[in-house]
Each structure stands twice: as structure tokens, then as C-alpha cells.
Amino acid sequence: HYVELYRDDVALIGHSGLSKIEYFFSISREPMPPVDNPWSLYVLPIHFQSSVKFLLLIPVGALVVAFFRSVIGIPTFGTFAPVLLALAFRHVSLGVGFLCLGMLIFFGWVFRKILDSLKILVIPRLSLIVTMVIFFILAMNIVFYNLGQQKILYISLFPMIIITWTIERFSVIQIEDGTASAFKTLLGTALVSAAAYYVMGIRPLHAYLFAFPELLLVVMALMLLLGRYTGVRLTELWRFREFRKIKNKMTG
């Protein structure tokens, strides 16, 4: 029950060349960190701790993606796309994130179709799509900010490369496997991103991972178990339901 303003002889605020300065305090209740442990993550600078918490959540999100892909059988655009999208959604909320993601993929897909007619190489095409995504995000920032939606400004945290790669994969899957398969994979990516968003949003999980980062060994152990899983995926039970009906008739 105390507020630490500064330590030793270091001044709380120092300034020069200013006639007036204003400041305020924001106080919240948090567990007392182990300041006497030099190997604790709590000894890191405050402004760096948020980055460390961000890194600690990535393996948890990867575990969620591995579970959905290996056990349930939901297709996604890669492994880390749902994880990074879920982390970006934490800044703008899930609904706004899905809206922005859908708009980016749609306009990116249209732009990619236009580039197909130009018959350009892959690397320049991806570079053009990245530039288009950045332009579109800047436009959305200006439009929604003028409409009073300041939270939309955080969409600049969206992983540009992942979105560009998602647009490219969406177009390739549409060409190779059809539109239905492309939208199925896109829906699976959104679903897994939502699941990772809620799992990584558990506040006790943040506190325990930051206080005991060795818990990542448990996450690694769970990943090893998933890596040894050879059972039937849940979606395959629905996919091959007709064979089950035939088997039941034969045994009956």
C-alpha cells in the first residue's frame, strides 16, 4: 500500500527551457514483483516489459493453432498467421479486427487479380501488394478517425507481411482448389484467430507467464504430445460420415 515516486536522489521530473509542465499519475493494483531476484523478468525496464509479454504469448497462440489443425482439422493460412492476427486483434477488438481484415483481403484480392493481367513476376507482385495494403490501411485510418473511431488507428499494428501472404495464398488456393476451398481456409483462419485471441486474453495467463517464464516448457511438452497425435481429426468424422453409415448398415 504505497506509491514509489522515485529512488535515491534521482528527481521525479527534470526539464529545461520550459515555463510550465503538467503531469498526472495512473495507479492500478498489481502483484508485488520480486524485486530482489536479479533473474526475474520484473527487473527489465517497464517500457520493455510489454514487448516481453508479447513474445511470451506467441508460443501459447501457436499451441492453440496446433491443436485446431492437428486434432480438430481446421485449415488455416499457415501456422503463425492466426497467432499474429490474434495479437493484432487485442489492440482493436475482435469485431473491428475482422472487419478490417475482411476489407484488406477483399481489396488485396481485387488488386492481385489486376496484377495477374499484367503478367509480372512473383516478387514484384508481392511488393506491390504490400504497398497497396499500407496505402489502404492509411486510408482507413484517416476515414475512421474523421468518423470518431479512434480505436481503428491501431490497425497499423496488423502484420503487413502476413496479410500480404494471406492475400497471395487466398488467390492461389482459389485458382488451384476453387473459391469454396479458399473461403473455407479463410474462415478457418478467422476461427482459429478468434480462439487464440480469447486464450491469449486470459489475464492470469499473462501474469503467470511473466512471473514464471519456465511455464513455456509445459507449452513445449503439449506441442510434443500434439506432434505425436495420429488419431482421427474431428472434421474427418463429418467428412467421412457416409462411410460410417455404410459400416453401420453392414454390421447391423
Side-chain angles (χ1 to χ4, degrees):
H1 302 289
Y2 68 92
V3 177
E4 181 178 352
L5 298 181
Y6 57 89
R7 297 184 181 183
D8 300 330
D9 295 330
V10 180
L12 177 61
I13 296 177
H15 65 90
S16 60
L18 298 176
S19 60
K20 184 179 180 181
I21 185 170
E22 296 181 358
Y23 60 91
F24 67 93
F25 297 99
S26 177
I27 303 175
S28 61
R29 184 184 298 273
E30 292 186 2
M32 183 62 186
V35 294
D36 57 340
N37 184 1
W39 301 106
S40 173
L41 294 178
Y42 284 101
V43 302
L44 297 175
I46 297 297
H47 63 275
F48 189 71
Q49 291 184 11
S50 58
S51 300
V52 175
K53 292 178 181 178
F54 178 88
L55 293 176
L56 290 172
L57 290 176
I58 293 179
V60 177
L63 176 63
V64 175
V65 176
F67 174 80
F68 272 86
R69 294 195 60 174
S70 301
V71 178
I72 300 181
I74 296 180
T76 62
F77 291 117
T79 303
F80 296 104
V83 179
L84 297 179
L85 289 175
L87 289 173
F89 290 162
R90 295 183 64 240
H91 295 279
V92 297
S93 78
L94 194 61
V96 176
F98 279 147
L99 175 63
C100 296
L101 179 64
M103 295 173 65
L104 286 172
I105 291 179
F106 173 75
F107 285 103
W109 172 76
V110 172
F111 187 70
R112 206 264 190 190
K113 289 295 183 183
I114 296 174
L115 294 178
D116 284 344
S117 62
L118 301 178
K119 307 297 182 181
I120 63 176
L121 298 176
V122 175
I123 302 302
R125 183 177 65 203
L126 290 176
S127 302
L128 286 169
I129 294 176
V130 169
T131 307
M132 186 280 306
V133 169
I134 293 176
F135 267 120
F136 189 71
I137 286 179
L138 294 176
M140 283 196 299
N141 281 335
I142 296 174
V143 171
F144 282 96
Y145 181 78
N146 290 327
L147 294 176
Q149 302 294 330
Q150 298 185 8
K151 185 179 289 188
I152 202 70
L153 298 178
Y154 287 100
I155 64 173
S156 58
L157 299 176
F158 270 27
M160 307 299 174
I161 305 303
I162 292 298
I163 292 179
T164 302
W165 186 80
T166 301
I167 294 171
E168 180 70 14
R169 288 300 304 162
F170 180 86
S171 301
V172 171
I173 293 176
Q174 184 188 27
I175 295 173
E176 296 179 351
D177 301 327
T179 303
S181 178
F183 276 100
K184 179 181 178 181
T185 306
L186 179 61
L187 181 61
T189 302
L191 178 62
V192 176
S193 298
Y197 168 84
Y198 285 111
V199 172
M200 291 188 292
I202 301 175
R203 291 195 173 276
L205 181 63
H206 299 178
Y208 277 102
L209 280 176
F210 194 78
F212 308 102
E214 58 271 17
L215 289 175
L216 290 181
L217 297 175
V218 178
V219 176
M220 294 177 63
L222 294 175
M223 290 180 179
L224 287 174
L225 291 177
L226 288 176
R228 300 287 296 177
Y229 179 76
T230 57
V232 179
R233 297 173 179 174
L234 296 182
T235 54
E236 292 177 347
L237 296 177
W238 172 259
R239 179 183 177 187
F240 299 107
R241 60 189 182 279
E242 297 297 332
F243 290 98
R244 295 180 60 189
K245 293 180 181 179
I246 296 175
K247 182 180 179 180
N248 293 333
K249 291 181 180 179
M250 295 179 60
T251 55

